[in-house]
């Protein structure tokens, strides 16, 4: 069994992947670069046992990270508690296996490259991958699976935090759809909900339209990240919502390792 680890700026996501490549269990914990391998192990070991598995069932570990400082302790987790050397996406035998057709290939985030691998496996032709995380990213994947660039916008929660921090009279609110489609609010909280939710929907719609026009071919729009379903409920913006896209990409990268040798 494979343990896939996706380390983002906000959360670290863990998934158990069986020999067929299917995710059988997933967990997440807040990202903290100071968290030690021992702390990860105590937390994760209990969850693995509660899921009906044992640490000894895990034979390999693969990691994708956009938080370099967190990598060392995750590598120690693999060696000290699972008895294997962690494979790091994009390095050594885990090179991407896809073309990064951008000006600075080394600057492409591991999550975005792994998402491209997963997107190529689930949809033919040109693809857009929209990932909702600390940042909201829009990525163009060509019909050959190559990563061809994209854009980065502040994430929804990051925007909310900035608004709360900078405006003394505005309260902290949770991201949720307004009760109706009106964009004229009559309360402060209602106006904030409208601005964040429908403002983001407008941004997503606009970016998709602009990218489709620039690509010039039919495009499959794939969304991932915790907030994708929230926006899909009212906007029907995406062709597919794949919450586990990055973890599935890691599993595919691991399974394809023999082809890369």
């Amino acid at each position: 069994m494979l343990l896939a680890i996706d380390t983002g700026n906000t959360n670290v996501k863990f998934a158990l992947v069986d020999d067929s490549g299917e995710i059988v269990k997933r967990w997440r914990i807040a990202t903290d670069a100071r968290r030690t391998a021992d702390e990860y192990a105590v937390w994760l070991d209990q969850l693995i046992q509660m899921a009906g598995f044992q640490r000894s069932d895990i034979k390999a570990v693969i990691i994708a990270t956009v938080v370099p400082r967190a990598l060392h302790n995750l590598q120690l987790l693999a060696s000290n508690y699972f008895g294997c050397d962690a494979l790091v996406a994009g390095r050594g035998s885990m090179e991407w296996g896809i073309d990064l057709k951008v000006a600075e290939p080394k600057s492409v985030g591991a999550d975005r490259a792994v998402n491209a691998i997963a997107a190529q496996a689930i949809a033919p032709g040109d693809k857009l991958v929209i990932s909702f995380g600390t940042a909201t990213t829009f990525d163009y994947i060509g019909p050959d699976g190559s990563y061809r660039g994209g854009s980065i916008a502040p994430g929804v929660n990051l925007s909310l935090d900035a608004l709360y921090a900078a405006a003394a009279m505005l309260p902290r609110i949770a991201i949720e759809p307004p009760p109706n489609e009106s964009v004229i609010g009559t309360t402060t909280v209602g106006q904030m909900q409208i601005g964040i939710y429908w403002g983001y929907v407008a941004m997503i719609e606009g970016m998709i339209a602009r990218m489709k026009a620039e690509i010039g071919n039919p495009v499959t729009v794939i969304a991932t990240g915790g907030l994708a379903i929230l926006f899909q409920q009212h906007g029907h913006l995406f062709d597919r919502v794949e919450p586990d896209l990055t973890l599935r990409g890691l599993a595919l990268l691991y399974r394809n390792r023999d082809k890369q040798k």
Side-chain angles (χ1 to χ4, degrees):
M1 188 169 287
L2 171 69
L3 178 65
I5 306 174
D6 169 29
T7 310
N9 289 298
T10 303
N11 291 307
V12 184
K13 294 171 281 293
F14 296 79
L16 288 182
V17 184
D18 65 19
D19 293 339
S20 69
E22 290 300 311
I23 295 173
V24 296
K25 207 68 182 176
R26 59 188 66 71
W27 308 281
R28 67 176 60 207
I29 191 171
T31 301
D32 183 349
R34 299 168 299 175
R35 185 172 284 115
T36 66
D38 301 327
E39 290 174 306
Y40 279 120
V42 169
W43 172 79
L44 192 57
D45 190 50
Q46 295 181 66
L47 292 170
I48 290 171
Q49 291 187 48
M50 289 171 63
F53 300 98
Q54 300 296 324
R55 266 192 290 144
S56 58
D57 295 328
I58 296 171
K59 306 302 182 184
V61 176
I62 186 169
I63 302 169
T65 183
V66 295
V67 186
R69 289 180 56 217
L71 179 59
H72 176 67
N73 284 321
L74 289 169
Q75 289 175 308
L76 286 179
L77 171 69
S79 60
N80 292 352
Y81 291 95
F82 297 106
C84 62
D85 291 329
L87 303 165
V88 181
R91 300 185 186 180
S93 63
M94 289 294 102
E95 291 184 1
W96 302 122
I98 60 171
D99 289 330
L100 304 179
K101 296 183 177 180
V102 291
E104 299 175 345
K106 291 183 179 180
S107 71
V108 176
D111 53 344
R112 302 171 82 178
V114 170
N115 284 346
I117 294 169
Q120 180 65 12
I122 64 177
D126 291 292
K127 295 160 285 288
L128 293 180
V129 174
I130 304 173
S131 179
F132 294 89
T134 305
T136 299
T137 57
F138 298 79
D139 293 311
Y140 169 36
I141 316 304
D144 60 349
S146 60
Y147 176 84
R148 302 192 181 188
S151 60
I152 304 172
V156 183
N157 286 312
L158 189 63
S159 298
L160 275 174
D161 289 343
L163 189 61
Y164 170 74
M169 296 296 291
L170 295 182
R172 186 185 294 275
I173 65 169
I175 175 65
E176 59 183 351
N180 54 56
E181 296 190 4
S182 172
V183 293
I184 301 175
T186 58
T187 67
T188 298
V189 169
Q191 291 171 12
M192 291 175 69
Q193 290 176 333
I194 288 168
I196 288 292
Y197 188 83
W198 290 117
Y200 241 82
V201 167
M203 186 267 284
I204 295 165
E205 288 175 332
M207 287 299 295
I208 290 173
R210 284 177 172 269
M211 293 179 81
K212 283 183 173 181
E214 189 169 336
I215 293 166
N217 297 316
V219 176
T220 300
V221 180
I222 303 168
T224 190
L227 293 176
I229 294 175
L230 182 70
F231 287 106
Q232 183 76 334
Q233 286 175 354
H234 284 255
H236 303 291
L237 305 170
F238 321 119
D239 297 309
R240 301 182 62 147
V241 175
E242 298 286 344
D244 294 325
L245 192 71
T246 310
L247 293 168
R248 292 189 183 281
L250 276 172
L252 283 168
L253 182 61
Y254 177 79
R255 293 186 73 190
N256 291 339
R257 68 194 185 283
D258 293 334
K259 300 176 184 178
Q260 300 175 24
K261 294 179 180 179

